[in-house]
Amino acid sequence: EVHLGSVTGPLAGAPVTIIPPAAKADPVVLGDNLEKPVTVRLNVPGGTHDVYFVFTNAAAKPAEDLLLLTGIEFKPGARVAGIPAGFTRLFNGRDLTGWHVSRTTHQGTTPDVRVEDSAIVLRQRPYGQGGLLMTDRKFKNFELVLEAKPDWGTNGGIFFRSSEGGSAYQIEVEGGGTGGTGSLFGEMLAVKTPVQAKGVQSVWRSDDWNAFRIRVEGDAPRVTLWINDVEIYNAQLGRNDLIGGRTDGMIALQSHWSSTFEPVAGSFDMSSSWKPGAAHRYRNVAIRELPQ
């Protein structure tokens, strides 16, 4: 058994039974009669944990050894969950077909957007200036799935029902899942009932891919957010906040601006929100449209 925090702490994975090999009467070379490696698949929340390995054998006598432990190796598990059934890819994994960079957003100059290792990668270009990558199509009611890997020291977001200029509802995304990651508010938009995400750090996978699932329904939208298959909130907004009463818009990925050439009166300071050379990465982006 593998436990977190103490020998009686929560299990980090399903227990594994080890069957010893049959005893041999003839002398053997050291290692010839050892059991093959045993794999325990772990499901560990974000953060740092003490890990305890517990071995039990109810049939063992007091003077008998339980096992000979020769080594422990940790290997990162595969995070690619693929596309759920019924969803259509928005990103083909090869190029940016179906997407375009907004040239009217207030976020700054056009961002550095590339496809690297089957992922959409957004960086600042030049440093301090951000931008938006958005779908060519507009959507109203939908479920959106994607995996995100934002570098530490970065700020951005997942926009929905966005205008070309970036007036949209936004799900915040910060490196390390810190700050307001997962929170819902407006970008160039006054949202009457913003939603604060709670408990994100307990499910976030540091320096790894994290799965987002966003469900949006209704003119005054009900928004449900899951991160790594854990529901973070299910919130009914009090009104349709979109300008002009529209009810649809683009999906967009934001590389936030972090500095301006001179202070802007009445603005807030984002000068430390993006470290040089950092990136936001997205993959397995897909959508399932819902009835209108």
Side-chain angles (χ1 to χ4, degrees):
E1 299 172 344
V2 182
H3 295 257
L4 299 180
S6 71
V7 293
T8 58
L11 284 169
V16 172
T17 298
I18 301 174
I19 307 231
K24 293 183 179 180
D26 298 331
V28 294
V29 178
L30 179 62
D32 185 41
N33 200 31
L34 296 180
E35 173 68 350
K36 64 182 180 180
V38 173
T39 298
V40 181
R41 300 191 181 280
L42 305 181
N43 183 14
V44 181
T48 303
H49 302 267
D50 292 328
V51 180
Y52 289 79
F53 295 84
V54 179
F55 304 94
T56 62
N57 184 348
K61 298 177 181 179
E64 291 181 335
D65 294 329
L66 292 184
L67 81 163
L68 172 63
L69 180 63
T70 57
I72 298 173
E73 181 180 7
F74 291 91
K75 293 183 178 180
R79 295 299 189 191
V80 181
I83 304 300
F87 282 71
T88 301
R89 288 183 181 272
L90 288 178
F91 167 54
N92 62 23
R94 302 182 304 275
D95 55 43
L96 296 175
T97 300
W99 297 77
H100 67 278
V101 172
S102 169
R103 298 191 180 274
T104 61
T105 175
H106 71 289
Q107 289 296 326
T109 59
T110 57
D112 182 359
V113 182
R114 306 182 187 187
V115 176
E116 300 175 1
D117 297 326
S118 299
I120 296 173
V121 182
L122 293 89
R123 299 183 179 90
Q124 289 185 335
R125 187 188 67 187
Y127 176 63
Q129 298 294 296
L132 287 177
L133 176 71
M134 50 181 47
T135 58
D136 295 339
R137 284 192 57 202
K138 296 180 179 180
F139 301 93
K140 179 182 178 181
N141 296 337
F142 60 85
E143 281 193 27
L144 175 73
V145 294
L146 56 81
E147 291 178 279
K149 187 178 181 182
D151 286 343
W152 284 89
T154 57
N155 180 283
I158 304 165
F159 288 21
F160 60 90
R161 296 188 179 178
S162 178
S163 69
E164 184 67 24
S167 175
Y169 292 106
Q170 175 183 181
I171 303 290
E172 182 91 340
V173 178
E174 295 190 29
T178 58
T181 294
S183 294
L184 170 66
F185 49 88
E187 183 78 16
M188 301 286 288
L189 186 71
V191 174
K192 182 179 180 181
T193 51
V195 184
Q196 182 179 2
K198 298 180 180 180
V200 173
Q201 279 293 299
S202 66
V203 301
W204 191 262
R205 299 164 180 160
S206 296
D207 299 319
D208 203 345
W209 292 96
N210 289 269
F212 284 72
R213 186 172 185 139
I214 305 166
R215 183 182 179 96
V216 178
E217 291 182 283
D219 291 0
R222 174 177 290 276
V223 182
T224 310
L225 171 67
W226 295 263
I227 297 179
N228 293 328
D229 298 322
V230 176
E231 184 175 305
I232 304 300
Y233 54 75
N234 184 338
Q236 175 62 60
L237 275 60
R239 68 182 185 188
N240 173 19
D241 301 287
L242 298 178
I243 297 171
R246 62 183 176 83
T247 57
D248 64 1
M250 279 83 79
I251 307 293
L253 306 174
Q254 177 203 42
S255 167
H256 207 296
W257 62 270
S258 61
S259 63
T260 54
F261 293 108
E262 57 185 17
V264 178
S267 181
F268 55 93
D269 182 14
M270 294 291 293
S271 59
S272 62
S273 70
W274 199 285
K275 66 180 182 181
H280 276 200
R281 299 170 180 84
Y282 295 93
R283 70 183 184 187
N284 288 332
V285 186
I287 200 165
R288 179 170 71 93
E289 293 189 75
L290 304 175
Q292 302 302 313

